[in-house]
């Protein structure tokens, strides 16, 4: 069985002994790990460190070994613009985006998004999403945390965050994903970075589609069926990384 992995929000260095933060210590107690157990810590900056667990009273401590420069990232940087879905569907999208290797996810407060977030509710949701990213990274073996931006409009995101080639998922598009990715011009732009745009329930509004056109987002068709928003982005990520051999 693989050694248990934990994200530590504090910077780590080789051969140090440190008291574990309360969040990590709580998970260790829940899993009933004993003194002398080997655990793996990572701080999200890359690489991981094995350590030996110990307890000093109620304090959980670890003595770290050498840094293992292990990485599980994709060959290129992949950004997902996800139209905010209703309910807690975004939790699922975030968790699976981490597992699939997405570099950054940008929640889009689209015109047709049912979920609206602001103030304390937004702050609470962002903290919740950060916890999902940390837990998913622990589980899947990533040593760099996927970044998440605060919810923003599509226009704001396109101006601030879109990287590389921009592909807009649109069931009415004339060109499919595989054809677009094999285009020489597109391949040159997706060498290291790509942004995928997926709308919320109900899709993008006409105004948002016009904004995509102004910002050089290329519409692509993905399959012959209409996918739910929480399925479409993840399926598109998986297909894209496979086609690009990332």
């Amino acid at each position: 069985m693989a050694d248990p992995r934990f994200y530590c929000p504090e910077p780590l260095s080789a051969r140090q002994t440190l008291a574990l933060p309360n969040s990590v210590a709580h998970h260790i107690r829940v899993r009933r790990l004993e003194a002398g157990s080997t655990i793996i810590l990572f701080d999200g900056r890359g690489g991981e460190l094995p350590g030996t667990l110990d307890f000093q009273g109620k304090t959980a401590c670890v003595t770290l070994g050498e840094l293992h420069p292990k990485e599980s990232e994709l060959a290129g940087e992949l950004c997902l613009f996800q139209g905010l879905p209703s309910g807690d569907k975004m939790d699922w999208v975030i968790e699976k985006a981490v597992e699939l290797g997405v570099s950054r996810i940008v929640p889009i407060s689209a015109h047709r998004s049912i979920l609206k977030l602001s103030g304390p509710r937004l702050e609470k949701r962002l903290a919740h999403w950060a916890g999902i990213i940390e837990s998913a990274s622990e589980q899947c073996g990533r040593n760099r945390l996927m970044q998440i931006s605060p919810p923003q409009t599509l226009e704001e995101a396109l101006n601030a965050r879109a990287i590389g080639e921009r592909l807009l998922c649109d069931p009415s598009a004339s060109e499919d994903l595989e054809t677009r990715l094999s285009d020489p011009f597109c391949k040159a732009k997706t060498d290291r970075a790509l942004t995928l745009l997926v709308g919320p329930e109900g899709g993008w509004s006409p105004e948002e589609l016009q904004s995509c056109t102004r910002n050089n987002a290329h519409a692509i068709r993905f399959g012959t069926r209409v996918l739910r928003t929480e399925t479409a982005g993840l399926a598109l990520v998986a297909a894209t990384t496979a086609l690009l051999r990332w």
Side-chain angles (χ1 to χ4, degrees), residues 49-121:
L49 295 101
T52 302
L53 183 63
D54 195 8
F55 295 95
Q56 298 177 5
K58 295 184 179 180
T59 302
C61 302
V62 63
T63 299
L64 296 174
E66 298 294 332
L67 174 69
H68 291 175
K70 177 184 176 183
E71 298 294 349
S72 302
E73 301 303 298
L74 298 176
E77 185 178 358
L78 183 58
C79 181
L80 174 63
F81 285 11
Q82 173 66 56
L84 274 172
S86 61
D88 59 359
K89 295 174 184 176
M90 194 67 183
D91 292 7
W92 162 269
V93 174
I94 289 171
E95 180 183 78
K96 301 311 172 188
V98 172
E99 294 178 24
L100 291 170
V102 171
S103 305
R104 176 181 290 275
I105 190 165
V106 183
I108 302 297
S109 295
H111 294 168
R112 294 172 179 168
S113 288
I114 298 172
L115 181 65
K116 304 295 183 182
L117 297 172
S118 62
R121 188 183 181 199

Side-chain angles (χ1 to χ4, degrees), residues 168-180 218-224 236:
L168 168 75
C169 187
D170 183 356
S172 64
S174 59
E175 191 173 27
D176 64 24
L177 174 66
E178 185 174 8
T179 301
R180 181 60 185 170
H218 192 90
I220 53 97
R221 187 179 67 256
F222 183 56
T224 58
L236 197 59

Side-chain angles (χ1 to χ4, degrees), residues 25-220:
H26 172 72
H27 288 304
I28 284 173
R29 290 191 174 90
V30 168
R31 297 184 65 165
R32 299 184 178 181
L33 297 177
E34 300 178 348
S37 299
T38 298
I39 63 174
I40 304 294
L41 295 184
F42 65 101
D43 60 12
R45 299 182 300 168
E48 60 186 28
L49 295 101
T52 302
L53 183 63
D54 195 8
F55 295 95
Q56 298 177 5
K58 295 184 179 180
T59 302
C61 302
V62 63
T63 299
L64 296 174
E66 298 294 332
L67 174 69
H68 291 175
K70 177 184 176 183
E71 298 294 349
S72 302
E73 301 303 298
L74 298 176
E77 185 178 358
L78 183 58
C79 181
L80 174 63
F81 285 11
Q82 173 66 56
L84 274 172
S86 61
D88 59 359
K89 295 174 184 176
M90 194 67 183
D91 292 7
W92 162 269
V93 174
I94 289 171
E95 180 183 78
K96 301 311 172 188
V98 172
E99 294 178 24
L100 291 170
V102 171
S103 305
R104 176 181 290 275
I105 190 165
V106 183
I108 302 297
S109 295
H111 294 168
R112 294 172 179 168
S113 288
I114 298 172
L115 181 65
K116 304 295 183 182
L117 297 172
S118 62
R121 188 183 181 199
L122 170 59
E123 294 177 7
K124 184 177 180 180
R125 190 64 64 95
L126 286 172
H128 174 65
W129 288 339
I132 291 175
I133 291 171
E134 293 164 9
S135 296
S137 299
E138 291 174 349
Q139 181 274 323
C140 75
R142 287 184 72 173
N143 289 321
R144 296 183 185 273
L145 296 182
M146 181 183 75
Q147 301 301 300
I148 184 167
S149 300
Q152 53 203 269
T153 68
L154 180 59
E155 184 79 20
E156 290 170 338
L158 286 168
N159 289 332
R161 295 291 182 187
I163 57 172
E165 174 78 335
R166 306 171 181 189
L167 299 183
L168 168 75
C169 187
D170 183 356
S172 64
S174 59
E175 191 173 27
D176 64 24
L177 174 66
E178 185 174 8
T179 301
R180 181 60 185 170
L181 291 179
S182 62
D183 180 88
F185 178 74
C186 178
K187 290 176 70 175
K189 294 181 67 176
T190 58
D191 182 37
R192 293 187 179 87
L194 178 67
T195 296
L196 302 174
L197 295 81
V198 175
E201 294 99 338
W204 301 113
S205 70
E207 294 81 8
E208 287 168 329
L209 291 174
Q210 291 173 7
S211 178
C212 288
T213 300
R214 288 195 306 270
N215 286 277
N216 301 315
H218 192 90
I220 53 97

